[in-house]
Amino acid sequence: MSPEQCHTDTEACAQHIAERLGPDLRIAAPLGLGKPHGLLNALYRLTTADTSRSLTLYTALSLTRPQPAPGLEARFLTPFLARHFGEDAEDPAYAVDQARNALPSNVAVHEFYMQSGALLRSPSAQRNYISQNYTHVARDLAVQDINALVQLVARRETPEGVRYSLSCNPDLTLDFIDRVVQSGKPRPLCVAVVHPDLPYISGHAEVTQDYFDLELRPDASPPLFALPRQPIDIVEYALGMHASALVRDAGCLQIGIGALSDALVYGLRWRQQDNMQWRRALVALDPRGGTHALAARMGGLAPFRTGLYGASEMVMDGFMHLQRAGILKRRAWDDLDLERAAASGRLSPETPGGHYLRGAFFLGSHELYAWLAALEDEDPDALDMCRVSNVNQLYGDHQALASLQRRGARFFNTCMMATLVGEAVSDTLENGEVVSGVGGQYNFVAMAHELPEGRSVLLLRSTRRGRSGVETNIRWNYGHATIPRHLRDMFVTEYGVADLRGKTDSECIEAMLAISDARFIDALCAEAKSHGKLAADFQVPERWRNNRPEHLRAALAPWQNKGLLPAFPFGSDFTEIEQRLLPALNWLKDSSATWRGKLALLRAVLGPGAPVEGEDEALARMELDQPAGIGERLQGRLLRAALRRG
């Protein structure tokens, strides 16, 4: 790469790209962490300043910092966001404008996966959403006449020359460029934006210097976008406990992101490190033995001896915790592993080698990024970051090897809702509004049905809080399905596991009723009977009547009281005072959503009870210890009442 193709000034690089490509920019950018916000913002500014230009962006998961609502939420989040993301953090300007319906007419943004719930009220985002399986994105991008690809990379100077690592996002770039070249179309301008803190990952994620046409190495780079670690509540813990019994030693694991996946990881770690307590807690949750029976048949109750192999489109914090706990350790070879071992002289019949984790993109906490960087230095074979086509499907020249690597596979994903006959709703509402996207969920569900011992496990809470109060997430029917019922497999809620594979509709309905919240079982049962899908003389077993939150809390109380089910089991980005504030603020938010909740708020304010430890410090953190005016005094009283609630 010649000196004139290397930039240190972002604006100059954007101008160079605009002059080289002309007035119509058609740009592809990776999902999530690999998006170079600074360069995209410079290109966006160039376009919005000149109506003769146009910008069409193809991407996914445009990460923006939360925009807190005025009042208590802003008082809590504003200092935290500045501390966690950094004062010089930069959001993608197009995403901010799109969320507030302010995209100019000469800019179009097409995403195949949206930040969950962030663009429900954006008409342009809803119109321009492209519904795709993750593995089909590169194919579809190749026909869009894209003229530039911009990507955040890591850079390394070697004796053989400069090398780049696609690091967090080899997922689509490699497949996309190959498809364009194979089609005979012009190769898009490829721009590498170097970030000094991005972990350098070698292997399949590594490319030579000539892969990119331009390099931008800014003088200063904002911190990498890191997800704040979220709390886990008792419902999520119960769900994770059930799910953790479904995993077989020496098997393969795929997990997604979010509190439910974190709870699963905690359950697996607890099973490994304190097996007796884990078993006792599982018995308390599952006195009728349904989960135990499934564990005996397809999962396990013992600690992991051989360990697990990870194959997941997303590498997130959970895999780090599983590796540290001695669970993620089963290694698998592929051709590149063998080449690297041979080149380093480590290849022998006694050499334990190969990778134990394969992924297509990574996103998580600052701790995860530090772990990945250290892993590259300590054990470069351990992690294989590669094309999404090598992770999310079995087709192609790697099919036989992938099937061996993924023996005993358990693919865990989350969904928003499920129907009694086994459909899953994960990405879109009944009215067609897109919450997130299909992503790789369909890929993994279908793959589970192809692998001899593979199982798809969809996790969901049995209820949610809606406008009128508590609502069931298990429905008779719904106007949209991400996973059709012919691919139904396993569902897990806080009340147990429903194994639907190969079952009749009536058997599936009974299994789903058994893991539903008791407050909704009778109505669901009646609806199924009215459609002839459940026998008219079917009676709800009395044991299902215990599927209530209070029974769940009572079952796990002994372990919660011992501190074995902490709110932040993997550490927290919040201070101790902020951790005390979180449940109080969540209670205020939930209570203000319904009339019944507002009445409870009024009673709490009128009779706030006795002061609690740390109350004054909490109010000081919210800058309400010396209120000015009626509004701040009212906020202070509400907050005190919420803190004293216990």
Side-chain angles (χ1 to χ4, degrees), residues 91 153 255 300 345 498 527 573 597 613 640:
D91 290 323
V153 301
I255 47 179
E527 193 155 15
D573 301 294
E613 183 182 353
R640 283 187 189 276

Side-chain angles (χ1 to χ4, degrees), residues 200-241:
Y200 193 98
I201 309 295
S202 55
H204 286 113
E206 199 172 28
V207 296
T208 56
Q209 185 177 16
D210 60 3
Y211 194 86
F212 289 98
D213 305 295
L214 292 179
E215 179 193 278
L216 170 60
R217 205 176 341 161
D219 294 327
S221 299
L224 292 173
F225 191 102
L227 298 173
R229 289 169 288 192
Q230 297 296 310
I232 301 176
D233 66 22
I234 203 70
V235 168
E236 291 153 349
Y237 269 123
L239 193 151
M241 288 286 294

Side-chain angles (χ1 to χ4, degrees), residues 453-467:
E453 297 178 339
R455 298 304 297 264
S456 162
V457 188
L458 295 179
L459 313 176
L460 75 158
R461 294 177 67 124
S462 68
T463 64
R464 67 180 182 277
R465 184 166 292 279
R467 293 180 180 178

Side-chain angles (χ1 to χ4, degrees), residues 133-136 313 392-393 439-448:
N133 287 335
Y134 202 169
T135 51
H136 296 162
E313 67 180 28
N392 285 29
Q393 64 185 19
Q441 184 170 115
Y442 185 94
N443 293 141
F444 283 108
V445 172
M447 197 182 341

Side-chain angles (χ1 to χ4, degrees), residues 316-329:
M316 34 70 82
D317 287 53
F319 287 106
M320 171 181 68
H321 298 304
L322 292 174
Q323 186 269 344
R324 288 173 172 172
I327 298 171
L328 188 70
K329 62 181 181 181

Side-chain angles (χ1 to χ4, degrees), residues 497-560:
V497 184
D499 183 2
L500 310 185
R501 183 181 283 195
K503 303 291 179 62
T504 66
D505 277 1
S506 64
E507 289 171 331
C508 289
I509 290 168
E510 290 185 33
M512 294 299 287
L513 287 172
I515 64 169
S516 299
D517 189 287
R519 291 167 287 183
F520 303 96
I521 287 177
D522 287 329
L524 289 168
C525 182
E527 193 155 15
K529 287 182 178 180
S530 72
H531 295 287
K533 286 291 186 176
L534 201 56
D537 60 351
F538 175 80
Q539 297 294 316
V540 174
E542 280 304 310
R543 62 181 182 272
W544 297 358
R545 305 292 182 189
N546 290 329
N547 290 358
R548 293 178 177 272
E550 55 268 27
H551 288 279
L552 210 61
R553 288 191 292 268
L556 292 179
W559 294 274
Q560 191 168 35

Side-chain angles (χ1 to χ4, degrees), residues 19-223:
E19 290 173 357
R20 180 163 172 174
L21 298 180
D24 300 316
L25 298 178
R26 299 180 63 82
I27 295 178
L31 63 83
L33 188 63
K35 231 182 304 295
H37 292 178
L39 179 58
L40 286 170
N41 285 349
L43 292 168
Y44 182 64
R45 286 191 292 271
L46 275 176
T47 305
T48 56
D50 183 355
T51 55
S52 68
R53 306 191 62 86
S54 70
L55 169 63
T56 305
L57 177 63
Y58 294 88
T59 188
L61 197 58
S62 296
L63 297 168
T64 60
R65 291 166 294 173
Q67 301 295 314
L72 290 173
E73 186 176 310
R75 286 178 180 275
F76 178 80
L77 278 180
T78 301
F80 169 77
L81 295 175
R83 183 181 77 235
H84 180 78
F85 292 103
E87 296 286 353
D88 55 347
E90 190 171 13
D91 290 323
Y94 69 85
V96 174
D97 285 351
Q98 188 172 44
R100 60 189 185 91
N101 295 314
L103 271 185
S105 59
N106 60 338
V107 175
V109 179
H110 300 278
E111 299 203 57
F112 71 88
Y113 197 97
M114 303 178 187
Q115 194 168 357
S116 185
L119 297 173
L120 280 170
R121 294 175 179 82
S122 170
S124 68
Q126 294 294 324
R127 289 193 300 270
N128 289 329
Y129 166 72
I130 300 176
S131 184
Q132 297 163 302
N133 287 335
Y134 202 169
T135 51
H136 296 162
V137 174
R139 176 201 68 191
D140 296 344
L141 283 178
V143 299
Q144 295 293 346
D145 295 325
I146 288 167
N147 52 22
L149 179 143
V150 298
Q151 176 152 358
L152 215 60
V153 301
R155 184 182 189 274
R156 176 178 286 177
E157 295 189 11
T158 72
E160 293 76 31
V162 171
R163 304 277 290 183
Y164 295 111
S165 171
L166 303 183
S167 186
C168 54
N169 284 95
D171 51 336
L172 291 172
T173 297
L174 298 169
D175 282 334
F176 164 60
I177 295 297
D178 282 356
R179 281 183 172 271
V180 171
V181 171
Q182 290 165 8
S183 72
K185 290 177 176 288
R187 189 177 189 268
L189 180 74
C190 293
V191 184
V193 182
V194 178
H195 196 293
D197 299 328
L198 194 65
Y200 193 98
I201 309 295
S202 55
H204 286 113
E206 199 172 28
V207 296
T208 56
Q209 185 177 16
D210 60 3
Y211 194 86
F212 289 98
D213 305 295
L214 292 179
E215 179 193 278
L216 170 60
R217 205 176 341 161
D219 294 327
S221 299

